[in-house]
Amino acid sequence: MYFDTLDSEQQISFLIKPILKVLQEAGGQLDRAEIRERICDVDERIAEFEQKLYTSKKTENQYKKFDFKFNFAIKELDYVKLLSYERYNPQITLTQ
């Protein structure tokens, strides 16, 4: 799998461009779920990464690394003021 060869920072960086692209194509505003769906449609490597489940060694619960990387990418874009969102609100808006 392609994403397993990247370190954490590279995985987040890889998600930033498709997030911005789908927001621009949609007119600047989408829900988180719509962004996830559209970036998976754009890149099959992202779609594969989004579907992969991992198991915690400590708790043995299953989780998706994609969820963490996606949320960090959104936070980084918010930090540099390229998009805005409110906590607990699924709506994300492109600022430029």
Side-chain angles (χ1 to χ4, degrees):
M1 170 185 263
Y2 175 74
F3 268 85
D4 287 341
T5 64
L6 303 175
D7 67 28
S8 183
E9 193 172 309
Q10 291 172 323
Q11 290 173 344
I12 294 167
S13 295
F14 190 88
L15 292 171
I16 288 176
K17 187 175 179 181
I19 289 171
L20 291 173
K21 181 179 178 183
V22 299
L23 277 167
Q24 286 177 329
E25 289 172 355
Q29 196 169 28
L30 287 171
D31 286 347
R32 280 180 185 265
E34 291 176 281
I35 294 171
R36 290 172 62 124
E37 184 180 312
R38 290 182 186 201
I39 65 173
C40 287
D41 291 342
V42 169
D43 191 326
E44 65 186 49
R45 293 176 293 183
I46 293 173
E48 182 181 336
F49 181 54
E50 196 272 336
Q51 293 298 314
K52 185 159 183 182
L53 288 173
Y54 296 85
T55 303
S56 169
K57 292 177 185 174
K58 193 173 190 179
T59 64
E60 297 190 15
N61 292 333
Q62 289 192 328
Y63 66 96
K64 291 183 179 182
K65 282 185 183 179
F66 176 83
D67 294 340
F68 297 104
K69 307 308 178 191
F70 177 77
N71 288 325
F72 278 120
I74 295 293
K75 285 183 180 184
E76 282 191 19
L77 289 168
D78 179 55
Y79 182 76
V80 295
K81 307 288 186 223
L82 290 175
L83 58 80
S84 65
Y85 72 96
E86 292 180 32
R87 207 168 168 183
Y88 306 113
N89 183 351
Q91 196 69 37
I92 296 175
T93 307
L94 198 58
T95 57
Q96 292 186 359

XYZ file of all heavy atoms in Angstrom:
816
model
N 0.850 -1.181 0.000
C 0.000 0.000 0.000
C 0.894 1.241 0.000
O 1.850 1.321 0.744
C -0.903 -0.011 1.220
C -1.638 1.290 1.405
S -2.591 1.359 2.905
C -4.150 0.924 2.231
N 0.555 2.205 -0.818
C 1.360 3.411 -0.989
C 1.492 4.212 0.295
O 2.579 4.637 0.665
C 0.756 4.266 -2.098
C 1.444 5.592 -2.262
C 2.692 5.664 -2.855
C 0.864 6.762 -1.799
C 3.346 6.868 -3.000
C 1.503 7.976 -1.939
C 2.739 8.029 -2.538
O 3.393 9.215 -2.682
N 0.410 4.435 1.011
C 0.442 5.286 2.190
C 1.274 4.706 3.320
O 1.792 5.442 4.144
C -0.978 5.595 2.689
C -1.529 6.861 2.111
C -2.153 6.864 0.892
C -1.404 8.059 2.775
C -2.659 8.028 0.349
C -1.897 9.236 2.252
C -2.525 9.217 1.030
N 1.412 3.406 3.365
C 2.221 2.789 4.414
C 3.709 3.071 4.229
O 4.486 2.908 5.162
C 1.977 1.282 4.454
C 0.622 0.937 5.039
O 0.036 1.794 5.736
O 0.132 -0.173 4.788
N 4.108 3.508 3.043
C 5.511 3.838 2.797
C 5.836 5.279 3.198
O 7.001 5.641 3.274
C 5.877 3.651 1.313
O 5.127 4.568 0.517
C 5.615 2.221 0.861
N 4.816 6.088 3.461
C 5.003 7.488 3.842
C 4.995 7.630 5.355
O 4.301 6.896 6.052
C 3.875 8.347 3.259
C 3.683 8.325 1.753
C 2.453 9.137 1.371
C 4.903 8.851 1.038
N 5.740 8.630 5.848
C 5.649 8.891 7.275
C 4.401 9.732 7.545
O 3.697 10.153 6.619
C 6.923 9.545 7.811
C 7.174 10.954 7.283
O 6.214 11.663 6.936
O 8.349 11.350 7.231
N 4.108 9.972 8.781
C 2.873 10.640 9.177
C 2.721 12.027 8.534
O 1.658 12.379 8.032
C 2.828 10.766 10.700
O 1.624 11.333 11.120
N 3.780 12.796 8.552
C 3.733 14.148 7.991
C 3.498 14.117 6.480
O 2.759 14.942 5.940
C 5.045 14.874 8.305
C 4.983 16.359 8.053
C 6.227 17.060 8.563
O 6.593 16.847 9.722
O 6.820 17.809 7.770
N 4.114 13.174 5.801
C 3.924 13.044 4.356
C 2.494 12.614 4.023
O 1.936 13.058 3.016
C 4.910 12.029 3.780
C 6.342 12.499 3.794
C 7.315 11.414 3.402
O 7.121 10.253 3.742
N 8.371 11.792 2.692
N 1.901 11.771 4.844
C 0.519 11.353 4.626
C -0.416 12.553 4.731
O -1.309 12.722 3.902
C 0.112 10.284 5.645
C 0.790 8.963 5.426
C 0.515 7.967 6.528
O 0.051 8.320 7.610
N 0.804 6.711 6.267
N -0.200 13.386 5.723
C -1.029 14.586 5.897
C -0.828 15.531 4.716
O -1.799 16.040 4.151
C -0.699 15.274 7.230
C -1.109 14.375 8.401
C -1.380 16.637 7.339
C -0.556 14.787 9.745
N 0.413 15.741 4.321
C 0.712 16.630 3.193
C 0.082 16.123 1.899
O -0.392 16.911 1.081
C 2.219 16.757 3.002
O 2.799 17.378 4.108
N 0.069 14.803 1.713
C -0.510 14.217 0.515
C -2.009 14.493 0.417
O -2.554 14.623 -0.677
C -0.260 12.700 0.512
C -0.613 12.036 -0.784
C 0.315 11.952 -1.799
C -1.869 11.495 -0.994
C 0.004 11.339 -3.007
C -2.200 10.878 -2.191
C -1.257 10.800 -3.200
N -2.693 14.613 1.547
C -4.142 14.836 1.558
C -4.537 16.294 1.321
O -5.656 16.576 0.897
C -4.736 14.369 2.888
C -4.708 12.874 3.147
C -5.118 12.573 4.579
C -5.606 12.154 2.165
N -3.630 17.218 1.561
C -3.964 18.642 1.498
C -4.410 19.078 0.097
O -5.438 19.737 -0.055
C -2.789 19.495 2.016
C -2.713 19.329 3.541
C -2.942 20.956 1.627
C -1.544 20.021 4.188
N -3.657 18.745 -0.918
C -3.992 19.180 -2.284
C -5.359 18.675 -2.745
O -6.171 19.455 -3.243
C -2.897 18.770 -3.266
C -3.107 19.327 -4.645
C -1.952 19.011 -5.562
C -2.206 19.569 -6.942
N -1.101 19.257 -7.852
N -5.670 17.376 -2.588
C -7.006 16.911 -2.996
C -8.140 17.573 -2.202
O -9.207 17.830 -2.759
C -6.974 15.405 -2.739
C -5.559 15.039 -2.646
C -4.817 16.247 -2.210
N -7.901 17.862 -0.934
C -8.938 18.544 -0.134
C -9.232 19.910 -0.727
O -10.390 20.280 -0.934
C -8.503 18.654 1.344
C -8.531 17.278 2.010
C -9.411 19.633 2.098
C -7.908 17.239 3.404
N -8.182 20.674 -1.016
C -8.372 22.002 -1.608
C -9.029 21.909 -2.979
O -9.905 22.716 -3.320
C -7.033 22.734 -1.707
C -6.414 23.163 -0.385
C -5.019 23.714 -0.614
C -7.300 24.173 0.330
N -8.622 20.921 -3.757
C -9.168 20.755 -5.112
C -10.672 20.489 -5.079
O -11.436 21.123 -5.810
C -8.448 19.617 -5.832
C -8.914 19.393 -7.243
C -8.153 18.263 -7.902
C -8.685 18.024 -9.300
N -8.026 16.890 -9.947
N -11.124 19.564 -4.244
C -12.558 19.244 -4.218
C -13.370 20.395 -3.643
O -14.511 20.617 -4.070
C -12.876 17.914 -3.483
C -12.203 16.748 -4.174
C -12.534 17.956 -2.028
N -12.788 21.143 -2.715
C -13.499 22.319 -2.199
C -13.656 23.382 -3.286
O -14.721 23.985 -3.417
C -12.773 22.905 -0.985
C -13.062 22.237 0.339
C -12.063 22.688 1.401
C -14.486 22.539 0.792
N -12.616 23.607 -4.072
C -12.695 24.581 -5.161
C -13.717 24.154 -6.203
O -14.507 24.969 -6.676
C -11.332 24.775 -5.820
C -10.373 25.576 -4.997
C -9.008 25.683 -5.662
O -8.584 24.773 -6.375
N -8.307 26.776 -5.398
N -13.714 22.888 -6.559
C -14.657 22.383 -7.564
C -16.107 22.463 -7.079
O -17.019 22.590 -7.891
C -14.317 20.934 -7.917
C -13.044 20.795 -8.719
C -12.606 19.364 -8.912
O -13.243 18.434 -8.342
O -11.622 19.141 -9.643
N -16.296 22.406 -5.774
C -17.652 22.436 -5.216
C -18.117 23.852 -4.910
O -19.202 24.035 -4.364
C -17.701 21.595 -3.944
N -17.319 24.827 -5.228
C -17.726 26.196 -4.967
C -17.276 26.717 -3.613
O -17.689 27.788 -3.186
N -16.443 25.946 -2.928
C -15.841 26.451 -1.705
C -16.441 25.971 -0.405
O -15.965 26.346 0.658
N -17.475 25.134 -0.454
C -18.092 24.710 0.795
C -18.638 23.281 0.689
O -19.388 22.977 -0.227
C -19.224 25.669 1.168
C -19.670 25.563 2.584
C -20.585 26.714 2.956
O -21.287 27.271 2.103
N -20.575 27.079 4.212
N -18.207 22.429 1.622
C -18.664 21.039 1.674
C -18.659 20.546 3.115
O -17.954 21.101 3.958
C -17.734 20.121 0.875
C -17.763 20.175 -0.636
C -16.619 19.344 -1.210
C -19.083 19.659 -1.158
N -19.404 19.494 3.362
C -19.336 18.813 4.651
C -18.105 17.915 4.656
O -17.627 17.487 3.606
C -20.566 17.922 4.878
C -21.814 18.717 5.187
O -21.695 19.918 5.461
O -22.907 18.118 5.170
N -17.631 17.596 5.844
C -16.480 16.703 5.972
C -16.697 15.390 5.229
O -15.810 14.906 4.538
C -16.217 16.377 7.445
C -15.494 17.438 8.188
C -15.295 16.997 9.643
N -14.705 18.062 10.396
C -13.412 18.189 10.627
N -12.581 17.285 10.179
N -12.950 19.207 11.313
N -17.865 14.805 5.394
C -18.154 13.511 4.756
C -18.086 13.623 3.232
O -17.586 12.717 2.555
C -19.519 12.997 5.195
N -18.580 14.737 2.700
C -18.536 14.936 1.244
C -17.101 15.093 0.759
O -16.743 14.586 -0.305
C -19.348 16.164 0.852
C -20.840 15.990 1.034
C -21.581 17.284 0.730
O -21.590 18.166 1.605
O -22.125 17.382 -0.381
N -16.273 15.792 1.532
C -14.868 15.960 1.158
C -14.182 14.609 1.131
O -13.487 14.266 0.174
C -14.142 16.914 2.132
C -14.699 18.336 2.014
C -12.634 16.919 1.853
C -14.193 19.292 3.072
N -14.407 13.822 2.172
C -13.804 12.477 2.241
C -14.207 11.644 1.030
O -13.372 10.995 0.399
C -14.250 11.762 3.511
C -13.685 12.323 4.764
C -14.344 11.670 5.954
N -14.072 10.248 5.957
C -13.519 9.598 6.940
N -13.193 10.233 8.032
N -13.308 8.302 6.862
N -15.482 11.655 0.724
C -15.988 10.869 -0.399
C -15.373 11.322 -1.720
O -14.945 10.501 -2.536
C -17.509 11.002 -0.454
C -18.165 10.163 -1.519
C -19.673 10.342 -1.514
O -20.276 10.275 -0.430
O -20.215 10.553 -2.611
N -15.314 12.618 -1.914
C -14.803 13.148 -3.185
C -13.305 12.938 -3.353
O -12.844 12.668 -4.459
C -15.160 14.621 -3.324
C -16.638 14.831 -3.536
C -16.977 16.280 -3.730
N -18.413 16.470 -3.787
C -18.984 17.526 -4.336
N -18.248 18.483 -4.872
N -20.289 17.638 -4.342
N -12.526 13.075 -2.277
C -11.084 12.853 -2.445
C -10.800 11.370 -2.682
O -9.829 11.032 -3.351
C -10.225 13.421 -1.286
C -10.496 12.732 0.038
C -10.355 14.911 -1.192
C -9.549 13.142 1.154
N -11.652 10.497 -2.175
C -11.501 9.064 -2.459
C -11.837 8.773 -3.916
O -11.247 7.880 -4.528
C -12.380 8.225 -1.531
S -11.754 8.172 0.157
N -12.786 9.527 -4.480
C -13.130 9.366 -5.892
C -12.006 9.873 -6.800
O -11.799 9.344 -7.885
C -14.420 10.113 -6.229
C -15.649 9.479 -5.598
O -15.571 8.305 -5.187
O -16.687 10.173 -5.516
N -11.281 10.892 -6.343
C -10.222 11.512 -7.133
C -8.973 10.633 -7.191
O -8.317 10.556 -8.226
C -9.861 12.906 -6.553
C -8.598 13.461 -7.162
C -11.004 13.877 -6.746
N -8.628 9.975 -6.096
C -7.370 9.227 -6.026
C -7.606 7.852 -5.410
O -8.034 7.749 -4.262
C -6.360 10.019 -5.191
C -4.954 9.470 -5.272
O -4.784 8.244 -5.387
O -4.017 10.285 -5.200
N -7.311 6.822 -6.157
C -7.550 5.454 -5.665
C -6.621 5.087 -4.515
O -6.966 4.258 -3.674
C -7.438 4.444 -6.794
C -6.069 4.323 -7.407
C -6.051 3.414 -8.620
O -6.905 3.595 -9.501
O -5.177 2.543 -8.652
N -5.435 5.714 -4.439
C -4.533 5.444 -3.309
C -5.139 5.961 -2.018
O -5.042 5.316 -0.972
C -3.161 6.073 -3.546
C -2.405 5.437 -4.702
C -1.113 6.122 -4.973
N -1.396 7.477 -5.474
C -0.477 8.334 -5.855
N 0.796 8.011 -5.789
N -0.799 9.517 -6.303
N -5.791 7.126 -2.099
C -6.471 7.672 -0.923
C -7.648 6.781 -0.557
O -7.878 6.498 0.624
C -6.935 9.126 -1.177
C -5.721 10.047 -1.326
C -7.836 9.608 -0.046
C -6.055 11.456 -1.738
N -8.383 6.324 -1.541
C -9.539 5.450 -1.285
C -9.100 4.160 -0.599
O -9.754 3.684 0.334
C -10.261 5.140 -2.588
N -7.991 3.603 -1.038
C -7.468 2.376 -0.433
C -7.062 2.629 1.021
O -7.352 1.827 1.909
C -6.274 1.891 -1.247
C -5.673 0.600 -0.767
C -4.474 0.187 -1.619
O -4.386 0.604 -2.784
O -3.633 -0.545 -1.085
N -6.395 3.747 1.255
C -5.963 4.118 2.614
C -7.168 4.375 3.514
O -7.175 3.985 4.679
C -5.072 5.361 2.539
C -4.535 5.836 3.856
C -3.838 4.980 4.698
C -4.709 7.154 4.245
C -3.323 5.431 5.910
C -4.203 7.613 5.452
C -3.508 6.757 6.283
N -8.198 4.985 2.970
C -9.403 5.308 3.758
C -10.112 4.038 4.227
O -10.697 4.014 5.306
C -10.348 6.168 2.917
C -11.431 6.874 3.711
C -12.687 6.046 3.883
O -12.931 5.155 3.057
O -13.418 6.293 4.850
N -10.053 2.989 3.448
C -10.752 1.746 3.776
C -9.988 0.826 4.730
O -10.585 -0.037 5.358
C -11.052 0.970 2.485
C -12.057 1.663 1.600
C -13.408 1.828 2.268
O -13.910 0.898 2.864
N -13.955 3.022 2.184
N -8.693 1.022 4.837
C -7.871 0.087 5.616
C -8.079 0.264 7.116
O -7.977 1.356 7.655
C -6.397 0.273 5.280
C -5.542 -0.757 5.965
C -4.223 -0.934 5.307
C -3.520 -2.056 6.061
N -2.240 -2.323 5.605
N -8.372 -0.841 7.776
C -8.551 -0.855 9.229
C -7.274 -1.340 9.904
O -6.614 -2.254 9.424
C -9.700 -1.784 9.622
C -11.100 -1.298 9.300
C -12.111 -2.398 9.592
C -11.436 -0.058 10.100
N -6.953 -0.716 11.010
C -5.811 -1.104 11.820
C -6.337 -1.529 13.184
O -7.407 -1.104 13.608
C -4.836 0.065 11.976
C -4.215 0.500 10.676
C -4.870 1.400 9.839
C -2.984 0.015 10.276
C -4.311 1.792 8.631
C -2.409 0.404 9.080
C -3.082 1.294 8.270
O -2.522 1.680 7.080
N -5.573 -2.346 13.881
C -5.968 -2.808 15.203
C -4.972 -2.283 16.229
O -3.756 -2.455 16.072
C -6.006 -4.350 15.256
O -6.904 -4.805 14.243
C -6.489 -4.840 16.608
N -5.500 -1.668 17.270
C -4.669 -1.148 18.347
C -4.020 -2.305 19.092
O -4.687 -3.267 19.463
C -5.527 -0.325 19.305
O -4.798 -0.024 20.474
N -2.729 -2.207 19.316
C -2.022 -3.254 20.052
C -2.428 -3.255 21.528
O -2.461 -4.298 22.155
C -0.515 -3.055 19.936
C 0.016 -3.276 18.541
C 1.491 -3.002 18.459
C 1.965 -3.125 17.017
N 3.350 -2.723 16.862
N -2.739 -2.075 22.019
C -3.059 -1.944 23.443
C -4.484 -2.392 23.759
O -4.713 -3.190 24.655
C -2.843 -0.494 23.865
C -2.830 -0.252 25.331
C -2.446 1.182 25.614
C -2.192 1.397 27.080
N -1.795 2.770 27.354
N -5.455 -1.853 23.011
C -6.868 -2.125 23.315
C -7.499 -3.145 22.379
O -8.604 -3.609 22.638
C -7.699 -0.829 23.225
O -7.663 -0.362 21.879
C -7.176 0.227 24.178
N -6.808 -3.428 21.269
C -7.313 -4.318 20.232
C -8.575 -3.799 19.541
O -9.277 -4.549 18.877
C -7.513 -5.732 20.773
C -6.208 -6.353 21.230
C -6.324 -7.822 21.542
O -7.313 -8.461 21.153
O -5.396 -8.338 22.191
N -8.859 -2.509 19.695
C -9.957 -1.878 18.962
C -9.491 -1.567 17.551
O -8.319 -1.277 17.323
C -10.399 -0.577 19.638
C -11.054 -0.812 20.974
O -11.631 -1.872 21.211
N -10.968 0.168 21.859
N -10.418 -1.586 16.613
C -10.080 -1.249 15.236
C -10.302 0.246 15.002
O -11.202 0.841 15.581
C -10.917 -2.060 14.265
C -10.515 -3.520 14.236
C -11.139 -4.249 13.071
O -12.238 -3.932 12.642
N -10.419 -5.233 12.557
N -9.464 0.819 14.143
C -9.556 2.230 13.800
C -9.010 2.436 12.400
O -8.375 1.549 11.831
C -8.793 3.089 14.818
C -7.290 2.865 14.804
C -6.457 3.702 14.083
C -6.718 1.799 15.491
C -5.093 3.495 14.055
C -5.353 1.581 15.471
C -4.541 2.442 14.759
O -3.187 2.230 14.726
N -9.257 3.622 11.868
C -8.727 3.995 10.557
C -7.715 5.120 10.752
O -8.058 6.176 11.275
C -9.843 4.480 9.632
C -10.801 3.410 9.194
C -11.821 3.979 8.235
C -12.773 2.904 7.756
N -13.736 3.442 6.784
N -6.475 4.889 10.316
C -5.461 5.940 10.389
C -5.875 7.131 9.537
O -5.538 8.266 9.835
C -4.107 5.422 9.895
C -3.379 4.574 10.879
C -1.993 4.222 10.333
C -1.255 3.303 11.255
N 0.068 2.937 10.725
N -6.617 6.848 8.478
C -7.059 7.914 7.585
C -7.810 9.000 8.345
O -7.633 10.189 8.064
C -7.956 7.348 6.481
C -8.529 8.407 5.585
C -7.792 8.899 4.526
C -9.794 8.935 5.814
C -8.310 9.888 3.697
C -10.313 9.919 4.996
C -9.572 10.399 3.936
N -8.650 8.614 9.294
C -9.429 9.595 10.052
C -8.528 10.609 10.744
O -8.793 11.817 10.710
C -10.313 8.896 11.092
C -11.384 8.034 10.476
O -11.715 8.234 9.287
O -11.894 7.142 11.182
N -7.457 10.138 11.355
C -6.529 11.031 12.046
C -5.800 11.935 11.060
O -5.688 13.147 11.281
C -5.516 10.223 12.863
C -6.133 9.409 13.946
C -6.279 8.039 13.797
C -6.582 9.992 15.119
C -6.856 7.278 14.795
C -7.161 9.239 16.122
C -7.300 7.876 15.967
N -5.316 11.351 9.983
C -4.562 12.131 8.988
C -5.453 13.170 8.310
O -5.049 14.309 8.082
C -3.934 11.219 7.924
C -3.093 10.095 8.465
C -2.048 10.543 9.443
C -1.285 9.328 9.960
N -0.440 9.624 11.078
N -6.677 12.785 7.989
C -7.627 13.700 7.364
C -7.911 14.890 8.287
O -7.874 16.044 7.863
C -8.920 12.955 7.038
C -9.998 13.821 6.445
C -9.943 14.207 5.123
C -11.068 14.236 7.218
C -10.938 15.008 4.564
C -12.063 15.032 6.677
C -11.999 15.424 5.350
N -8.169 14.616 9.556
C -8.464 15.689 10.505
C -7.264 16.598 10.726
O -7.428 17.821 10.843
C -8.969 15.115 11.822
C -10.362 14.552 11.686
O -11.185 15.074 10.935
N -10.642 13.477 12.396
N -6.063 16.038 10.769
C -4.870 16.873 10.892
C -4.685 17.750 9.657
O -4.288 18.908 9.760
C -3.618 16.032 11.131
C -3.431 15.630 12.564
C -3.391 14.294 12.895
C -3.295 16.568 13.571
C -3.223 13.902 14.208
C -3.125 16.192 14.889
C -3.088 14.849 15.218
N -4.966 17.227 8.470
C -4.857 18.019 7.241
C -5.841 19.192 7.272
O -5.489 20.317 6.915
C -5.105 17.143 6.022
N -7.071 18.939 7.728
C -8.065 20.008 7.841
C -7.589 21.068 8.835
O -7.678 22.270 8.576
C -9.446 19.435 8.272
C -10.013 18.505 7.202
C -10.421 20.553 8.621
C -10.404 19.168 5.910
N -7.057 20.631 9.972
C -6.570 21.577 10.981
C -5.404 22.403 10.456
O -5.312 23.606 10.735
C -6.161 20.841 12.253
C -7.338 20.389 13.064
C -6.909 19.729 14.349
C -8.132 19.293 15.125
N -7.796 18.724 16.424
N -4.496 21.772 9.701
C -3.376 22.524 9.139
C -3.859 23.576 8.146
O -3.363 24.704 8.141
C -2.378 21.592 8.460
C -1.482 20.875 9.433
C -0.316 20.164 8.763
O 0.025 20.505 7.605
O 0.243 19.269 9.401
N -4.823 23.223 7.314
C -5.372 24.187 6.358
C -6.096 25.319 7.067
O -6.062 26.460 6.615
C -6.299 23.474 5.370
C -5.589 22.571 4.366
C -6.592 21.694 3.641
C -4.778 23.392 3.391
N -6.737 25.021 8.168
C -7.373 26.066 8.973
C -6.314 26.961 9.613
O -6.459 28.184 9.639
C -8.259 25.432 10.050
C -8.936 26.465 10.931
O -9.625 27.361 10.379
O -8.782 26.386 12.163
N -5.248 26.369 10.094
C -4.177 27.120 10.742
C -3.544 28.136 9.796
O -3.234 29.262 10.206
C -3.108 26.166 11.273
C -1.989 26.854 11.991
C -2.163 27.350 13.279
C -0.746 27.029 11.375
C -1.133 28.002 13.935
C 0.286 27.669 12.023
C 0.093 28.157 13.307
O 1.110 28.804 13.954
N -3.371 27.779 8.532
C -2.781 28.706 7.558
C -3.848 29.539 6.856
O -3.561 30.223 5.888
C -1.877 27.984 6.533
C -0.682 27.373 7.206
C -2.645 26.963 5.730
N -5.069 29.444 7.352
C -6.200 30.275 6.900
C -6.629 30.012 5.455
O -7.138 30.895 4.777
C -5.908 31.770 7.088
C -5.475 32.161 8.481
C -6.604 32.099 9.435
C -6.176 32.644 10.798
N -6.618 31.890 11.906
N -6.430 28.786 4.959
C -6.911 28.442 3.629
C -8.351 27.940 3.666
O -9.031 27.917 2.645
C -6.011 27.399 2.976
C -4.627 27.901 2.576
C -3.772 26.766 2.049
C -4.743 28.998 1.529
N -8.787 27.519 4.835
C -10.184 27.142 5.001
C -10.597 27.425 6.430
O -9.769 27.721 7.285
C -10.446 25.673 4.628
C -9.698 24.560 5.340
C -10.306 24.239 6.688
C -9.748 23.323 4.474
N -11.893 27.371 6.674
C -12.380 27.594 8.031
C -13.465 26.578 8.349
O -14.176 26.102 7.462
C -12.917 29.015 8.187
O -14.044 29.205 7.370
N -13.550 26.252 9.607
C -14.587 25.347 10.088
C -14.816 25.635 11.564
O -13.975 26.233 12.229
C -14.195 23.879 9.878
C -13.103 23.394 10.798
C -13.410 22.717 11.969
C -11.768 23.611 10.497
C -12.415 22.280 12.821
C -10.775 23.177 11.338
C -11.097 22.511 12.498
O -10.112 22.086 13.334
N -15.959 25.253 12.020
C -16.270 25.377 13.440
C -16.238 23.992 14.050
O -16.677 23.022 13.421
C -17.651 25.996 13.636
C -17.721 27.440 13.222
C -19.104 28.017 13.436
O -19.792 27.589 14.382
O -19.479 28.881 12.645
N -15.768 23.919 15.239
C -15.711 22.638 15.930
C -17.109 22.056 16.071
O -18.053 22.789 16.368
C -15.093 22.868 17.299
C -14.399 21.694 17.840
C -13.581 22.086 19.020
N -13.166 20.845 19.659
C -12.501 20.772 20.742
N -12.158 21.880 21.354
N -12.161 19.620 21.254
N -17.243 20.783 15.831
C -18.505 20.041 15.910
C -19.512 20.432 14.831
O -20.668 20.095 14.912
C -19.147 20.158 17.299
C -18.219 19.762 18.397
C -17.751 20.693 19.314
C -17.771 18.449 18.501
C -16.880 20.331 20.317
C -16.887 18.076 19.508
C -16.460 19.019 20.410
O -15.591 18.648 21.392
N -19.064 21.170 13.834
C -19.908 21.511 12.696
C -19.263 20.868 11.460
O -18.102 21.126 11.174
C -19.984 23.026 12.523
C -20.897 23.441 11.397
O -21.364 22.621 10.619
N -21.135 24.728 11.284
N -20.000 20.049 10.734
C -19.370 19.341 9.607
C -19.048 20.228 8.407
O -18.316 19.813 7.518
C -20.413 18.287 9.240
C -21.708 18.876 9.667
C -21.392 19.681 10.892
N -19.565 21.451 8.365
C -19.392 22.332 7.207
C -17.988 22.944 7.199
O -17.569 23.551 8.170
C -20.426 23.447 7.245
C -20.595 24.186 5.952
C -21.234 23.320 4.879
O -22.102 22.528 5.153
N -20.791 23.488 3.672
N -17.275 22.804 6.078
C -15.942 23.371 5.900
C -16.000 24.325 4.726
O -16.539 24.014 3.669
C -14.909 22.260 5.668
C -14.823 21.379 6.916
C -13.557 22.839 5.312
C -13.928 20.180 6.767
N -15.403 25.510 4.895
C -15.464 26.556 3.884
C -14.074 26.984 3.461
O -13.213 27.237 4.299
C -16.230 27.782 4.442
O -17.490 27.359 4.936
C -16.418 28.833 3.383
N -13.867 27.068 2.171
C -12.625 27.569 1.607
C -12.613 29.080 1.809
O -13.584 29.758 1.512
C -12.584 27.219 0.115
C -11.261 27.249 -0.600
C -10.268 26.308 0.048
C -11.462 26.863 -2.045
N -11.517 29.639 2.312
C -11.485 31.069 2.614
C -10.961 31.930 1.479
O -11.159 33.116 1.478
C -10.651 31.356 3.880
O -9.341 30.852 3.694
C -11.292 30.734 5.096
N -10.264 31.331 0.523
C -9.721 32.164 -0.555
C -10.360 31.851 -1.862
O -10.766 30.877 -2.232
C -8.209 31.961 -0.658
C -7.537 32.526 0.547
C -6.016 32.461 0.393
O -5.475 31.974 -0.595
N -5.318 32.956 1.373
